[in-house]
Amino acid sequence: MQHGKYRIIVGFLALPLLVYGVFVVSPFVQAFQISMTDWSGLVGSARFVGFDNFVRLWGSDDFWNALRHNVSMLALVPVVTLGLGLFFAFMLNVGGRRRRGDLVTGVAGSRFYKFVFFFPQVISITVIAVIWFNIYNPDPDDGMLNALLGALGLEGLQNAWLGEKSIALWCISAVMVWGHVGFYVVLFSAAMASIPRDIYEAALLDGAGRFHTFFRITLPLLWDTVQTGWVYMGIIALDAFALVQIMSVNMGGPDGATDVMPLRLYQTAFRDSQYGYAAAMGVAMLVVTMTFAVLALRLGRRERIEY
């Protein structure tokens, strides 16, 4: 009987695991294999060079510059995105005026607001990048942001935006936050809907304000969802390829101010035809991403709260 059960389990899992191994695990293994060569992308041109690509990568100022930008985005984008997502979700679901007979109410029209917040999720990342590239256009006649500042009499705040080395990366980071915060508003709203209203009502009857209710009830009960979102947004911040490629000046400019690891990998492989070196960058990105995910899950682990 026991063997029959295991045969059924193996029968169900064999095909999915085979597909996963071929299309997910196998490319990672092949990437590591390619990273040990000087392959230029041509058939038969690969020559085994051992760890030379990784040694070269360690001494590359361009790679460390790109990695520094990714880490900067990793430190900012998830915090701002998840913070705004939690704030808006809490306000939409619990922040309404108290009505007679109902202590906990959402904001009027909350479903419409959730739709508006979520709208960027249904737009292609390419379209988002093009839209914001035009918004950041430094020409006061064509760039919406500078035109708006001019109309408000704030000409002193007009800037080159994506052409300004000191703020170009943060302009792109702001677009990343804008494009993803709506997803977390909806996600956290769904998680909050599963929290029993009795808990909120009991806290409010005891005199707890919205500030204490959020940090003592909502956030602890949503922590597993927040932790998952943190890992997801961290991986997005370590990518940022499409936004940087489309929005940045000369792909990573000005003067390398917006260069990121995926863009550096893309240029190394498809522009410079150094596929072995690019594969080494891919392996390094895998190590950085997995390290972040493991640390985020371990450091953010808490005792499970049941209700």
Side-chain angles (χ1 to χ4, degrees), residues 218-248:
T218 304
L219 187 57
L221 292 177
L222 294 185
W223 188 252
D224 288 344
T225 306
V226 173
Q227 188 181 38
T228 302
W230 193 281
V231 175
Y232 178 66
M233 274 310 301
I235 293 174
I236 291 175
L238 289 171
D239 182 7
F241 170 74
L243 287 178
V244 173
Q245 184 191 29
I246 297 172
M247 295 181 64
S248 63

Side-chain angles (χ1 to χ4, degrees), residues 66 69-71 73-74 125 172 176 232-245 258-264 285 289:
H69 293 155
N70 275 118
V71 172
M73 298 174 79
L74 178 61
I125 189 66
I172 295 176
M176 192 177 298
Y232 178 66
M233 274 310 301
I235 293 174
I236 291 175
L238 289 171
D239 182 7
F241 170 74
L243 287 178
V244 173
Q245 184 191 29
T258 58
D259 199 8
V260 290
M261 290 190 294
L263 182 61
R264 176 59 43 188
M285 286 176 54
T289 304

